[in-house]
Amino acid sequence: MSKRPSSTYNDPGYFYNPKKLLKLFTLTSVLLAVGIIAMVWKDWARPWKDTQRAAMRWEARRLSVEEMILERRSKSTARSIAKARRAAEKEVAKNRKAIEAVEKKIAEWRGAFYLRDMIYKERKQYTLEAEYKIHEVHDPDELEEWTRKLFKFRDDEARFKDAVRHADSTLRGKLAERAELESALAAVEARRAKDPQLKRLALVRQGIEKNRHWSFLRELPLLDFLAPPTKVEQLVLDNIVENYEFAFPKKVDRCGTCHVNAFRVGFDAEKFPRPLDDKKELDGNQFELAVYRFVSDSIAAVTPKDKPEKLRAVEIHHQTLSFMWAEYDAESGEIGLDGGKKKWQKYKRNKKGLWAKTKKGGASIGEYYRSVLNRMENHWRTHPHFDDMVGPGSAHPYEKVGCTVCHLGRGWSTDFGLAHHTPDRKKVEDWMTTERAEKEGHHLPLSAKMSLTEAMGAGRSETEADIATGWLTDQDVKYRWADELGRNKGKLKYWIWPQYPKMLIQASCLKCHKAGMLRPVEEEYAGIHIGKPDAAAPDVREWGDHAAATSVKGEAIAASRIFIPKKPERYRPKGLESGKDSFLRFGCYGCHKLDATVYPFMDRVRAKVGPPLDEIVSKVNDSWLEKWISDPKSFRPDTRMPRFFDLSNNSHEFQYRFADGNFGKIKGKLWNQTEIWAIAAWMKAESKKRARKLPTVDLSRGDPARGERLVIGDHDASKPGTGGDAAKGEAKACIACHDIGIKTDALKFDAAALKHEKNKLVGSTGWGARMSRRQGPTLTALGSKVKPEWLYAWLRNPRGWWKHTNMPDLRLTEQEALDIAAYLMTLRSEEFENSPAIVRDRSVLQKMAIELKVAEQKEATDRAITTVTGWSVDEQAQYVGKTLFKHYGCFGCHDIHAFQDATPIGAELTEWASKPMERLEINHAPIEHSHFDFIYAKLRNPRIYDYGMPRRDKPYERLRMPRFGFTADEARDIGTFVIALVNDPITPAARFNPDARDSAIIRGREIIGRYNCQACHIIEGEGGDIWPVIKADKWRPPNLLGQGIKTQPSWLFHFMKDPAFVSISDASAPGGIVPGSDRVRPWHSIRMPTFGLSDEEARAVVKYFAALSRAPADFETMPTDTLTGDGTSYATPRIFPVKREDDPTKTISITARNRLDEARAMFQQYQCKSCHSIDAKIDSQAPNFRHTRAGRLRPEWIALWLWNPNSLQEGTSMPGFFVGDHGEPKAAESAFLGGDAEQQIRALRDFVTRHYK
Amino acid sequence: MDNVLAFLRWIVTEAAAPKLLVPLVFVALILTLKYYRVVTKPRVAGPIGLLIVVFLVGSCFDANFRKIITKADNIPIILLLFSVFFLVWLSLRRAALNDEAAEKGEPPLEARFKRETVLVWPDLVMIELIVIVGLTALLAFWAVGLPAPLEEPASAALTPNPSKAPWYFLGLQEMLVYYDPWYAGVVLPTMIVVGLMAIPYIDTNPKGNGYYTLVERKFAISVFLIGFIVFWIALITIGTFLRGPNWNFFGPYDYWDVHMSVPLKNINISEIFWVKMLKQGMPEAWYVRELPGIVMVIAFVMIGPLLLAKTVLKKLFKQLDIVRFSVVVTLLLFMISLPAKMLGRWLFNLKYVVYIPEYFINL
């Protein structure tokens, strides 16, 4: 610093005092330093870094525990290896001199090699130069000169190269010599390297070392940019993009930054050891493994911020662990606490809060571990359902799908609040009941505390009470965001897609699963796992693979050997799938369009859910119709028909501005009843134009008692004489689909409770909601509704009256239909019939007509008045009825000619959930502003958004969605489905693309659900609801497990098309055709009705069953086999545990002739003829052999059946000739065909199907 | 107490509406300029400043107010308001002192200190260093305490509501309320820039050089302050704090409700003339239809300068040559066109003076 001229100090104009400046400078510098420290600190202490540091520390602890355990476990191995090593060393020491000599040589030759290699590489340059010159030089002399040189250089090069090779091979030889001399040591090392435990130990130690390495320095603030131990885990997804309209960047997720263990196995509660009183768990090794994994995991699960109690609890783990392993006896493999006894003590907390052994009470270690795990932080855990959801082998591995495509929220945020976490609703509910929440004004909604009646009792009007309770239930409580749970400052304002709470997470599935959802299904069939791809069965081919089908001729089903399947946990997609089912079942699509190009299942929706109204006048009696419209549930509590009237926004007295401009009041009820009057009047008039003439029926000819037997079957035990065998030939099993009000409890039926353990399914079967007795309408009061003539006509031909009905043709005779009609007409509801008829007020009707003219036709008021007053009452009613029919969108569910091309009245839902929140009109409804809450509240109380809105003088501006009376669960599920309808661009590669088999199953399940097949049959292990009604096993509709390999595709197709008349081509039959009306089971009382499936549906059913069984479903003729052939071309599942071919001594020569003879002899010996017949006229007890020959059964199935009938159909009277009751082979019993069961079965099968006459 | 608070709220809300706030600021500025010697006295200005602080702090008890004020990107605007207030006060105060001194025949304050030169080393370097360090420290603390207010990724289908320009353009955006984009967004800003560039050629007054004064440059300073404070800073303030979703006006204590709708039916001069006054339909031809508006505009442009030359700018007209006077008057007319249209909007719901959608000419 140059010296300041002293004069300036005295200069009064000199303004700046250097001391002051210095002070100022110091101050600002200190401030800057503090600012920089704050900045660095803020960066260093970011929450995710803390999380990762904690995770690293606990990983270190986990590793140390693992090291300890591994050390203990491998102690004996290590000891024996050490011993071997000592021996080997001794061995090697003997050769010391030789080794030393070799090593000297090795050193020499290593030097020689290096030197020669150097020289060779140098000489090579000369060659290269000469080669270059030859190409470039043009002077002939010079060229000759270089050519000469090149030859010389090449010679040199070759010589040196040779020398290098010589040195190299000599060196190798010497090295091998040394290795030979030291081979004993090498063998020991190899053993050590191969031992899995030691290998693991080495890995663990590596991990420990890595964790230790420099971690302190690398973590230092400001230095941590060099090689930080903490890193943001960023995942950039290729196939999943964000939708910013016109820009579709790849999705980025950083959730793994904090959820450190979410994608690693072993940090989940499911992995804890099961309670110790289970005897199996006393298997020492198994338990040891489980405990070890559990302990190390739970140690990893504790964070440093945990309460001391929890930390102490983990310390206990250490104690327990070391204690246990101290007792571990490596030789016997037994572990135990009391001197090696296999008895585990219980544990109890002592005064210090530690766990100590106790004789009485207390918890087992397993229970104790469980309690620790339950307190584990969420983000320390493995993702639930790891193997199905995010695991590398699952359908949605983390690396490909990420997190926020399902969970929503902001993927690239590494901050709890900014990632937009959403708390579980249950937790919020719990929080809201705390005193503090009450204090801060968070109240649990009314409904959590009271019912509708109670709410009204508390001085609320019906509407208010409806609001207070309508959108909530006891089990499902609305949440409001609580700051306490958000940890941060609550919701992030600017993020449009907050994370789904747990209960709604399924809403994301539909983004990719538009084609459907499917869990792998494998049939386990009579102990034989069908078609399971298996290395032992290389000839397995994929289902539906036609190329393979021709190349592997004959081997139609590849059945592996006896197989113990892994039983995955049962999984029922309750939310989304059942919501979708309800959406379709309640016909929501009638008013709310769902684009079929986006949602392919909409393509297969055939019809409107309600019956057509074109002939309503001939179907129902007059007084019924109006009362029904007014309140459908009062007639039929379980009906899907919703209620439009007397709801919260139209049931009250409202002020109305009349056409003359004056205000007046009208009672809501009166208004509603007038509307109903008009609608019914119009419908009747309209349907009179089209109704066909009904047959004249004399119902008195019908016998109601017989009708009852036909409808109910032999169920009703309370009426002796009507049940039992008397009805067995007559029952039509109407109650499979209809509720007629008899003892519903008695009809409850649990397929799983049946003794069909053997015939079970592996995998999930939870799909859809089975309708069972809700399939058809409840018939308890049918007599009060319909006209008998119509009922008779309907029973004879349901499709003739309603093209799209699901009601099948039961092929009733005239008398049967009369009987059933007579019986059903006796079912009446006095209460409904006697309920007051609706009021008809002409003045209100006129007002309504004027109002509608103005509101719907947009006419000027004075013109409307002139027009309407000029009409007769009937004309007014017609006009009002038709307009209202349109206004309320009745045509959404019911076909009627006048509105056959009308557009639906509801909002389109295809991308509904992508609407911004503020575009949803919630008004004053006291609900959370979220898409789900909007739709949930709307479903529970469709008029809720009129709450508190002063619209009452405009009756046709009110909300008009009717009340379906959804339960809380239904509303939640439908809500989940509706909020799943988003416009989220998922690239085709990321979607669920079902293969042929999956598609067949998805489509098949739709049909099975649509026609309620499971009401009678057990399909995929579920259903058979009618079974308890039928007392004898053999009269029950069959369990369709294995249907795919049982019947031939073409037969099943024809059967589905028309079960009553099956004609199958069969070369052996006269004319090549077996004429129909072949009753497969003549003794059955309940007949498979004719459902009138379309070809597509029938084909889909065939494919579905084939897909379930992994059997081919090509409609080609099945491969045939004759005894004159070589006898092997037939498809036979390899079901035999012992293959005779493997045993050369048993090989016998079988000719076609002796095969036929032997088969005939077997047929005689087993007395097949005594039960089975082949004559069409004889109704034998066992199936007629004609069926086996009419292209019905698959040959491979017949072989299975002969092998073990009891396992296919429990309790069958068919004896098992080849295996015993428990599936043990009995082949030795008979000496036919060399005692070879496989040959015997084939021969017998072929004889019965081809040669027996 | 609640009633008093409610009343105060009502007053503030009413006063904050542009139709009152802009005139209020204008009147306050004129009064300040007129009575600047009194107003800038610490005894007077101090309490005024204090009142503003009390208003701000007191209002922060209101949740909505607090939310708007403490929004991370609004904090600089608060600082801007304070610094503008302080600097205007400082200059006017100095001007007042200097003008008083000049009346007494004394030299201005600035002349009494020989501070025109500073040693580069060490003084200037030192000061600069201190400022650099201090500002860096400030930025560091600011960054730690108020992180950047990042929002969701931009989506063309989901634009933010309100969509706000950066703070320095909010004045322009506010002009868009009153004028068509081509005028408020293109012509007016161009004229502002052109006008600023023209100042050295117009304003040749050598007085006030190196010291503060108002008396000697009354016209120049007044016009500048009106343009800067009323038509720039006030509009920025309105745009930042008082314009909410759908560009609706929201009082400082109001909740920014997306659904709020305001009954507003603006009409054109032509509609006022033909429909309201003459009670007939609109003529078909645009030149007939828009005749009243066109006449008004021509009158504003032609008669305005003459009027100004005869009245307010009499002195200036004498001082300047005809070219420079024309330039000054043209610029002034552009400036006046903004408050004129604002008044038209507030008083008559005026939409456009000239409305020719056929040629996209709307004024």
Side-chain angles (χ1 to χ4, degrees), chain A residues 160 167 196 205 252 287 306 345 363 378 451 518 522 665 727 759 814 856 922 1067 1075-1076 1081 1101 1152 1169 1194:
Chain A
F160 284 113
R205 283 181 177 153
V252 174
F287 186 72
D306 280 331
Q345 294 277 2
N378 259 344
S451 69
L518 186 74
E522 301 298 340
K665 283 184 176 175
N759 297 353
E814 191 183 332
E856 303 276 309
I922 292 177
R1081 292 180 187 80
V1101 169
K1169 225 171 140 185
R1194 293 189 189 231

Side-chain angles (χ1 to χ4, degrees), chain A residues 507-518:
Chain A
S508 292
C509 302
L510 202 62
K511 286 181 190 170
C512 299
H513 282 273
K514 293 193 166 73
M517 226 175 293
L518 186 74

